[in-house]
Amino acid sequence: MSTQPHKKRTRWHIAVFLAPAVLVYTAIMILPLFGTMQNSLFNEIDKSRVFVGLQNFYKLFQDPRWSADFWNALGNNAWFFLIHMLVQNPIGIALAAILSNPRLRFAKFYRTAIFIPTILSFVIVGFAWKLILSPIWGITPSMLDAVGLKFLFAPWLGKEEYALTTIALISVWQFIGIPMMLIFAALLSIPDDVLEAAECDGITGMSAFWKIKLPLILPSIGIISVLTFVGNFNAFDLIYTIQGALAGPDFSTDILGTFMYRTFFGFQLQLGDPYMGSTIASAMFGIILVGVCIYLFAIQTRLRRYQF
Amino acid sequence: MKINHLTRGLMLSSCLVVGGMAAAEEVTITIESWRNDDLTIWQDKIIPAFEASHAGIKVKFTPTAPGEYNAALNSKLDAGSAGDMITCRPFDVSLALYEKGHLAAIQDLDGMKNFGPVAKSGWSTDDGSATYCMPMASVIHGFIYNKEAFKEVGVDVPKTEGEFFAALDKIKADGNYLPMAMGTNDQWEAATMGYYNIGPNYWKGEEGRLGLINGTSKLTDKPWVDAFASLAKWGDYLGDGYEAQTYPDSQNLFTLGRAAIYPAGSWEISGFNTQADFEMGAFYPPVKNAGDTCYISDHTDIAMGMNKATAHPKEVKEFLNWMGSAEFASLYANALPGFFSLSNHDVKMDDPLAQEFVSWRGQCESTIRPTYQILSRGEPNLETDMWNASVAVIKGSETPEDAAARMQKGLASWYKPQQ
């Protein structure tokens, strides 16, 4: 016994140091998550809480009205995500590539200016853009008028066909700093020897970006895609501040977050339904989980990593 | 152990003494409300008036933002931390609170004798056996207009629908003023200021509303569709880009003098009085043919109930009884022109615009908003559907017939008398 005293001793300090984070995270994240999932298996029948199994999910996917709302929200959410992937991330990468050019002047100023919207509150961004685009007081109509393009103006936020895209682009404007910063950091970490070696082989300028830098930052782009995916499918704030809980016009900007909020807390005369609300929240969790798993197992494992 | 017991006993008794003394001195009761706009009026006028005549009771008014009120109140009531008095939304939202046992039945209070059955209907059970909130005020729908604009363009106050649209055409042709200030961005305006405003003339007020509840009439019947058809014509008279115009935008357009007519609820009066520097008038929703009976939406909007879990039921009842008095009725109606007392007291109001609105009660038949009683209990929610349909009809993206059919289908899917 006394020959191996060290191996037997419990290393309490690990538990002690981990405890605060574990406790806080459990209390405010894990417990509510499981509480919500549990709630989605119950419903109120005759004023008492009754276990109903997967009936709520059945209702959400099979009831014509619930499923129409759900698929509408999911479709809108997918479009919201697609706009971010097609606009935010490529522009973010391009900005980072330009900013990492050592010959660019005022690079720090641009970097800060582009990043600032990201730290603004959703409420400020929402109201500022609502005013900018307002057909009555906004500066957009007069600015377009000044360059003779007034005919291009429409009350974008009020039209079913444009509203969601408009809000997605506002969100892109707000968050473009995140991919830019992450890619910028990734580009800085590429050692100069690699680029110099490439230069000796005659690869410079644009082809250096496509052939050397881009493959090296692919893992970062993957991370950004996952962050965008999780962020978009959890989104709620911007739509709520711009269009309210009804996500108008005619639910054309309704995404899973606003759909869940409206169901859970109720709206105007509609009474809140915590059980169906939890069901939607659980479905959102499932969607995000599946999306992240696809990335982790199907994409990330195939990415080639380079060690320097 | 003995000492322990002794000290415990001493501490307990001293606590009791202190507690007892405080109770003898004064009791503080708090009010939950969504009317954060009225905070100063409660603090400066209503509460001092009550406290002056009721020594020993202190009242605190603690409002929440309107949009968060229902959700916040529900969580507070469930957690047992809600105030002693609860401001009641009309009909089902409060009925649900009563059925859950959060609101006490107060139909036997003396103050309740000053209210008629219509006033109480907003806060009574379906069979009328229990009333759980003391009615406070109703709001009346109509149109507020810019008197100077009408004079300048040369139009008279319209009495019939023909005159109404002729006036709108003339204002539009004149070009100086926007004919009507309303947007569809926030959706509720289209239904509340539009459909519920002009509709009662079509469905004959209570007759049509009760018909829906009893299942004797349908939303696809002529009156309901015709009201949509009339609303559909509004799109031409709203401002450029009205699709993205919000509620505050519309208010500002009117008070800045850029629009001639504002489809309104009487709650706008106090705000408009301080914002607008031109003379305003009001007219009730125009009738189809001259001489027809007019119907107005005189909607029971706000009341006050007692939290069943309150620690001071005696004091709360005293306050509620006082709310039924003529003193409160006159105080409230004058402090908040546009919120009209529901009591039987003869309330004198000073504000001319408010007088104009309330005078319609003598000329027209009153009704309330059609979706509020019973019909918005199920899924899909009829109120939300009506907002949506009113917007679609104004924009022209749905015909009046299609919109009515869609609402009827939604209602019939859960409401037995309509099946």
Side-chain angles (χ1 to χ4, degrees), chain A residues 188-216:
Chain A
L188 287 187
S189 71
I190 298 173
D192 286 339
D193 351 347
V194 178
L195 294 171
E196 277 161 17
E199 228 168 295
C200 293
D201 291 340
I203 300 171
T204 53
M206 279 305 272
S207 60
F209 176 79
W210 290 109
K211 290 187 174 150
I212 312 289
K213 290 179 184 170
L214 194 63
L216 289 177

Side-chain angles (χ1 to χ4, degrees), chain A residues 44 47 59 64-66 69 127 130-131 133-137 150 153-161 240 242-252 261-273, chain B residues 67-68 70-71 74 89-90 92-93 96 99-100 184-188 240-246 248-250 252-253 256 258 369 371-372 376-377 379-381 383-385 387-388 391-392 395 397 406 413:
Chain A
E44 194 175 281
K47 298 204 164 80
K59 191 165 147 195
R65 208 185 47 78
W66 278 102
D69 283 357
F127 277 92
K130 227 171 137 171
L131 272 180
L133 296 176
S134 162
I136 303 160
W137 335 100
K150 180 77 194 288
F153 182 78
W156 289 300
L157 288 174
K159 296 264 196 188
E160 281 92 341
E161 53 274 43
Y240 184 72
I242 295 184
Q243 304 286 30
L246 265 192
D250 196 14
F251 300 111
S252 61
Y261 177 87
R262 221 175 34 245
T263 311
F264 195 102
F265 292 103
F267 179 73
Q268 191 69 6
L269 297 191
Q270 178 184 333
L271 297 176
D273 182 347
Chain B
E68 293 155 17
N70 293 12
N74 274 322
R89 303 260 191 201
D92 292 350
V93 175
E99 283 176 343
K100 270 195 195 163
T184 57
N185 188 76
D186 296 353
Q187 306 197 39
W188 67 270
D240 266 352
Y242 68 86
E243 293 97 331
Q245 185 176 323
T246 63
D249 286 345
S250 312
N252 286 323
L253 275 179
L256 288 171
R258 282 170 57 176
R369 296 180 195 156
T371 50
Y372 271 61
S376 288
R377 260 175 217 179
E379 286 283 338
N381 189 276
E383 170 79 354
T384 311
D385 271 2
W387 291 14
N388 191 286
V391 171
K395 279 186 180 172
S397 56
R406 179 160 62 92
S413 73

